[in-house]
């Protein structure tokens, strides 16, 4: 609170005090008091009034300034009412009680939402594990039965498995800070893990895979990186040209390492490119070429942000798409 703001807030007391001094001075003149006595009385009155106002100003300025300083330093802003001291002046006490009660209501609601979120997360975990059981059983049945449609059925089962995994990782992404393990690993380990997991899909797409410099090491959570790579590979398969060529290339740059995943697919419209990481965005390709939920790239971007990585895309229509993931040397996660 500045002095000008305080004067504007207290303008009514200032005006009333000035009016009272004028009335008192006029009445004293009627009693024929000397002018110097009237001036002395007015000076004393003004002095004590200004002292009162200055005391009030510095008391309020100190309290609210301290309140703002504490608020800005807090990571959990909702704890402000539990930390700040109760003021000694009445108007501040009213504000303090309102803040404390409002904060309590807000914290109760936040707690309720967190509990609901945890219940949702637990349910998704349970649902995924339950669904994976019949998926595994179907794969075992197919292994023991020869049929001309076996490859097609296996492909569809893999798609179901992929969507189930996507649901699980989407649920886990909100609590990623409780479910990650940071390691230093060579990039070829996560690329091979993702490719192996989607091997049947890649074989059916007649995919040629090229790799370069994947012996470079990065620091992150390999499990989540494999999931991200699987989403990117799946997109390349969905929007492929007749013969899919998939390249994984890494290079060391200042401050970190870049992993590039490029394909020779149908590419992305320039108008869609800036929105592909938005939740639920499917774009022209998603509507025209394949069924798309618009969640894969959104999850990739979301997880990269939480892992302290960055991801960007570049593409040319009918020439292919390149996704780059930047792994910084100094990892800074979950800020």
């Amino acid at each position: 609170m500045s002095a000008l703001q305080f004067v504007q807030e207290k303008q009514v007391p200032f005006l009333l005090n000035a009016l009272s001094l004028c009335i008192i001075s006029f009445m004293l003149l009627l009693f024929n008091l000397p002018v110097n006595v009237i001036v002395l009385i007015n000076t004393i009155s003004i002095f004590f009034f200004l002292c009162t106002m200055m005391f009030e100003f510095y008391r309020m300025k100190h309290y609210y300034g301290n309140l703002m300083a504490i608020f800005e330093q807090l990571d959990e802003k909702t704890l402000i009412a539990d930390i700040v001291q109760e003021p000694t002046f009445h108007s501040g006490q009213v504000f303090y009680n309102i803040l404390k009660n409002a904060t309590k209501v807000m914290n109760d609601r936040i707690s309720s939402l967190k509990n609901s979120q945890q219940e949702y997360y637990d349910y998704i975990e349970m649902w995924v594990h339950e669904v994976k059981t019949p998926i595994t059983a179907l794969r075992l049945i197919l292994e023991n039965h020869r049929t001309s449609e076996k490859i097609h059925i296996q492909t569809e089962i893999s798609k179901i498995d992929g969507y189930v995994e996507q649901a699980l990782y989407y649920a886990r992404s909100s609590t990623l800070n409780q479910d990650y393990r940071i390691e230093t690993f060579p990039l070829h380990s996560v690329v091979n893990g993702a490719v192996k997991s989607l091997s049947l899909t890649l074989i059916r797409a007649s995919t040629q895979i090229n790799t370069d410099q994947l012996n470079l090491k990065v620091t992150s959570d390999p499990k989540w990186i494999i999931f991200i790579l699987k989403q990117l590979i799946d997109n390349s398969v969905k929007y492929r040209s007749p013969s899919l060529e998939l390249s994984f290339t890494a290079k060391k740059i200042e401050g970190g390492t870049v992993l590039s995943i490029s394909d020779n697919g149908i590419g992305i419209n320039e108008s869609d490119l800036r929105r592909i990481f938005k939740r639920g965005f499917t774009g022209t390709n998603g509507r025209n070429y394949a069924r798309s939920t618009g969640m894969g790239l959104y999850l990739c971007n979301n997880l990269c942000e939480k892992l302290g990585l960055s991801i960007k895309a570049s593409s040319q229509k009918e020439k292919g798409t390149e996704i780059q993931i930047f792994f910084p040397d100094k990892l800074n996660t979950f800020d």
Side-chain angles (χ1 to χ4, degrees), residues 58 72 138 162 203 240 332:
Y58 282 109
E72 289 174 358
L138 284 171
I203 290 170
R240 66 183 183 272
N332 187 19

Side-chain angles (χ1 to χ4, degrees), residues 7-254:
V7 171
Q8 289 174 339
E9 182 179 324
K10 300 292 183 180
Q11 58 183 330
V12 173
F14 275 101
L15 290 173
L16 290 176
N17 185 69
L19 180 61
S20 66
L21 287 176
C22 291
I23 294 172
I24 291 171
S25 299
F26 178 73
M27 293 178 64
L28 292 176
L29 284 171
L30 290 177
F31 286 102
N32 296 320
L33 258 69
V35 174
N36 58 346
V37 174
I38 296 173
V39 171
L40 178 62
I41 292 172
N42 287 342
T43 302
I44 294 172
S45 298
I46 292 171
F47 173 76
F48 281 106
F49 175 77
L50 291 178
C51 286
T52 302
M53 290 293 104
M54 288 176 65
F55 173 75
E56 182 73 9
F57 168 68
Y58 282 109
R59 182 171 61 173
M60 294 178 67
K61 180 180 176 65
H62 173 75
Y63 177 75
Y64 289 119
N66 186 52
L67 180 65
M68 285 302 300
I70 293 173
F71 181 76
E72 289 174 358
Q73 292 174 5
L74 277 178
D75 292 329
E76 291 290 337
K77 307 296 186 185
T78 57
L79 299 176
I80 182 66
D82 297 324
I83 295 174
V84 70
Q85 294 182 346
E86 185 175 356
T88 55
F89 51 99
H90 179 68
S91 61
Q93 289 173 346
V94 173
F95 166 75
Y96 173 81
N97 290 329
I98 292 172
L99 177 65
K100 199 169 186 66
N101 291 330
T103 302
K104 183 181 182 303
V105 172
M106 180 174 58
N107 285 333
D108 289 343
R109 289 184 179 179
I110 290 173
S111 178
S112 176
L113 287 171
K114 285 183 176 179
N115 289 335
S116 298
Q117 186 183 46
Q118 185 60 44
E119 289 175 5
Y120 166 76
Y121 168 74
D122 292 340
Y123 171 75
I124 291 294
E125 283 266 352
M126 180 189 69
W127 180 84
V128 166
H129 290 304
E130 290 294 330
V131 170
K132 280 187 174 289
T133 300
I135 290 175
T136 303
L138 284 171
R139 282 179 169 153
L140 289 173
I141 292 170
L142 282 174
E143 289 296 326
N144 296 322
H145 291 80
R146 292 185 177 181
T147 170
S148 59
E149 300 296 326
K150 180 177 178 179
I151 297 297
H152 297 289
I153 296 172
Q154 285 179 328
T155 302
E156 295 306 312
I157 290 174
S158 295
K159 288 181 181 178
I160 295 171
D161 196 26
Y163 286 128
V164 168
E165 185 181 46
Q166 193 178 81
L168 175 63
Y169 276 78
Y170 179 66
R172 285 180 174 176
S173 65
S174 60
T175 56
L176 184 57
N177 58 335
Q178 303 170 17
D179 185 32
Y180 75 104
R181 186 175 65 184
I182 298 299
E183 301 176 12
T184 298
F185 53 88
L187 281 168
H188 67 74
S189 64
V190 290
V191 170
N192 291 342
V195 169
K196 182 178 180 181
S197 179
L198 296 174
S199 57
L200 182 61
T201 302
L202 291 170
I203 290 170
R204 285 206 65 198
S206 303
T207 308
Q208 177 184 337
I209 296 177
N210 304 313
T211 61
D212 186 34
Q213 296 293 316
L214 296 186
N215 59 324
L216 293 176
K217 292 185 177 182
V218 297
T219 300
S220 191
D221 184 320
K223 178 185 70 174
W224 291 89
I225 298 301
I226 288 175
F227 173 77
I228 291 170
L229 292 177
K230 285 170 66 176
Q231 300 303 304
L232 299 177
I233 294 170
D234 185 60
N235 268 9
S236 293
V237 172
K238 281 181 183 177
Y239 308 117
R240 66 183 183 272
S241 295
S243 179
L244 176 61
E245 186 174 334
L246 201 54
S247 299
F248 299 88
T249 306
K251 63 178 178 179
K252 189 73 178 175
I253 63 172
E254 183 178 355

